[in-house]
Every structure is written in structure tokens, then in C-alpha cells.
Amino acid sequence: MVVRIRGRALPHGEPVDLYADGDRWTTDPVPDVEPVAEGWLLPGLVDAHTHPGAEAPGDPLDHGLLREHLRQHVDAGVAVIRAPGLADEPPPWFGVDPGTPRAWHAGPWLAQHGQFFDGWGRRADHDRLPAIAAAQAGRTGWAKVIGDWGPTGDPVPLAVLTAVVEAVHAVGGRVAVHTQQAAGGEAAVLAGADSLEHGMLLDRSLLARMAERGTALTPTLSVLERTAPEVRRRPDSPGKRWFLRGAESHAALVAAAAEAGVRVLAGTDSVPHGRILDEVRALAGAGLRPHAALAAASWDARAYLGLPGLQPGAPADAVVYAEDPRTDLDQLAHPTAVILRGRRVR
């Protein structure tokens, strides 16, 4: 059955009438086909920071759980995910199986010795990190480096991180860097990383450089804000003070990044999966206009991954809403239809 959508397409709200020719949108009409849905149209939501397939840090990748987590994403209208770190290399169907989101991933995380969660990732000597990262990016397009860890862990030295970025770029890949320290964030920006994950405590003087270089920020704001109340109840410690200092200033940092022209991407980094609406709300609560908060979870995030929006020739993903979600972000919780790879999945 040919899927047809009709309505006002964001980001501009122009009227469109599209048919799914397999997994591509076309304007070529098909006789006697009724629209699958009409309304306000988004070109498929994106969760740009999610780690499906495991319940807790250190758990092995569970293929059944991976499918369940991906289903939760689809139920929320997410047609694309980026997984900057997985518990293991995923199965061949990951990212291509009908009914599951398109996926970009960086394989297992790359970390320094003594850092990151036991049982996850690959720990390597500094002199081996560039080659390992390049090999990973050569397979999947991305490598993910744990640039710093906790309040006191030494960040990856700038020279090492620069060598990683250069090696990955040489094979046509991109580098995501986990950073929650000021020093680690500075090293990631100066090294030319393609995206900063979390970016907690980042020095705002670096934002202009990020905007100039096209370095994205995936702040995972909602999970930090959701975790802060529990951390406040803990006994005083340097770790508690570090986390709260970063979490409580993070919204203002995200707003400053957007104001500086940094591309902000929406990512949830959380279990249960399918909570992209939480992140969009958090971005709007930080001061981003609803239009910009939606862009971070839809058309702008898709563009960052090389996917065009609702236009002929583009991948046939869409989410349909009864009302303009820019005027009511809660619309994201109530799609009237979800189209993935040219098929209606909700």
C-alpha cells in the first residue's frame, strides 16, 4: 500500500503532498490513494545520544532488549538514532531492520586505562587510541572517546585527542567525545571533535570556536536535570559538588551555546528509552525557542547526519500531529501517525 501524507511541513510550515515510493518521498501522484494522515508534519524525530540494548552500565548487549528499546523509540516518533557508544558491536540488522530506527553508532566506547564503566568499552594506551578510533570509524562512521571521567580523572591529553580526530577524519569518520569537565571539554573543542556529549562545565569562551568549526553539542540536559534531585540528597562529597555545579549551570550553558550559533542536538541518554519529548521540553525550558528545540530533535539533527527533510527524494520518515507542535510541545506525545522507511508503524 502506498503511504501518502499531506499537510504543513516543518521547519517552514509550507503545504506538502507526498507519497512514499518505497523508502523515498515523491510528489508524483498515485490515483485513488487516500492520505494516511493529514496535519502538521515533522520529518521523523532523532535521538542523537542513546545507548540501547543494555539496562545498566556494564551489562552485555542483549539483542532482544535492543529490539525492545528501539521499539520504544519508534513509539515516540523517533525514526533516527545516534548511539555514541554501545555495549558491543550490534547485530547486522541494527539500523536497517524494518520497524526500527535508522541508526548511526560508534561501537563500544574508547577510554583511557582506569576510566569508564567496567565491562563496557575498550581501554587503550594513548599511542594506540588513534588507530583504534580510525578502525572503528572506518567500519561505522563514528568513534566515541571518553574524554574525561568523573570529577578528578585526568582528561585525554590534547595531543592524543588531536591525533584521534585527525586519524578518524582521514578515513572519513567523525568523533564524539564524552566530557563533563572544563579541561576535557576544552581539549575536545581544541582537538576539533565533531560533537561534545554532555559538555558539562564547558568554558563558554569556547562556544564561538565550536560554532565556527561546526562542532555540535549534545547536552543530554533532561537526564542531568532529572538526576540532580537524587544527587542533592547524598552526603556531601567532591563528586556531589562537581555534579551539581555542572548540572545546575547546564541549562544556561545550552542557551548560551544556541545563542552563539552552536548546533544543539537532542539526546536522552536514559532508560527507559523513547523519552525524546523530555529532552525537547528541557531545551525549551533552558531558553531555546520551541522552533529551535524541535529542530534539535528533528530536521536540524537529520541534516547533521546527512538526511534531508520532507522533500522529494528524501528518506520516507515522518511524524504527523493534529496541531503545530511549535505552539504546543506536548503534541509530541500524541502523534496521529508515524511513518518509518515508507511504512506506517503507528
Side-chain angles (χ1 to χ4, degrees):
M1 176 182 177
V2 175
V3 169
R4 182 185 180 189
I5 58 173
R6 185 166 61 196
R8 294 192 172 274
L10 295 178
H12 304 298
E14 74 279 11
V16 299
D17 191 351
L18 295 171
Y19 302 82
D21 181 8
D23 188 20
R24 288 293 180 269
W25 292 121
T26 180
T27 54
D28 295 338
V30 177
D32 302 321
V33 175
E34 292 298 321
V36 65
E38 293 188 71
W40 288 84
L41 314 174
L42 277 180
L45 296 174
V46 180
D47 190 329
H49 187 121
T50 180
H51 308 295
E55 281 291 347
D59 285 354
L61 187 69
D62 182 310
H63 291 187
L65 193 59
L66 179 62
R67 282 193 183 275
E68 174 59 19
H69 288 165
L70 296 176
R71 185 195 63 76
Q72 292 168 2
H73 279 298
V74 171
D75 283 349
V78 171
V80 177
I81 66 165
R82 183 182 61 137
L86 288 169
D88 202 345
E89 294 291 345
W93 55 261
F94 180 70
V96 297
D97 194 51
T100 66
R102 306 174 197 275
W104 278 252
H105 76 90
W109 299 259
L110 306 178
Q112 301 179 100
H113 292 293
Q115 296 187 359
F116 201 49
F117 298 109
D118 290 338
W120 271 9
R122 300 170 180 146
R123 293 165 173 162
D125 295 337
H126 286 161
D127 61 352
R128 297 190 60 229
L129 270 176
I132 294 172
Q136 178 66 58
R139 292 190 296 272
T140 65
W142 281 88
K144 169 74 174 291
V145 178
I146 303 301
D148 55 52
W149 191 242
T152 59
D154 290 336
V156 176
L158 175 58
V160 174
L161 201 52
T162 300
V164 167
V165 171
E166 290 175 347
V168 169
H169 286 179
V171 299
R174 292 202 264 186
V175 180
V177 178
H178 165 107
T179 172
Q180 292 182 287
Q181 294 179 13
E186 180 179 14
V189 173
L190 296 181
D194 298 283
S195 71
L196 268 62
E197 308 305 308
H198 317 298
M200 204 170 78
L201 296 170
L202 182 67
D203 188 330
R204 295 189 196 184
S205 68
L206 296 165
L207 295 175
R209 190 177 187 123
M210 290 178 66
E212 179 183 351
R213 287 191 169 187
T215 303
L217 173 66
T218 316
T220 63
L221 179 59
S222 57
V223 70
L224 294 179
E225 292 183 337
R226 194 162 56 248
T227 304
E230 188 275 326
V231 174
R232 290 190 190 98
R233 293 190 290 269
R234 297 176 186 173
D236 185 46
S237 68
K240 173 182 177 177
R241 294 193 295 271
W242 156 75
F243 180 85
L244 291 179
R245 186 170 68 254
E248 291 170 353
S249 62
H250 207 46
L253 171 65
V254 174
E259 181 67 23
V262 175
R263 172 175 262 150
V264 175
L265 304 175
T268 58
D269 190 31
S270 65
V271 175
H273 294 265
R275 300 181 69 164
I276 193 65
L277 172 55
D278 290 356
E279 187 67 11
V280 174
R281 283 175 173 154
L283 295 176
L288 274 66
R289 293 182 301 111
H291 184 93
L294 281 171
S298 184
W299 59 86
D300 198 41
R302 292 176 74 93
Y304 182 71
L305 296 171
L307 297 173
L310 291 170
Q311 62 192 56
D317 302 331
V319 193
V320 186
Y321 303 97
E323 305 292 339
D324 186 349
R326 296 172 299 179
T327 62
D328 178 13
L329 292 177
D330 287 342
Q331 286 290 314
L332 295 188
H334 307 288
T336 60
V338 177
I339 314 302
L340 174 63
R341 307 176 195 274
R343 297 174 53 246
R344 183 170 185 171
V345 293
R346 176 175 171 180

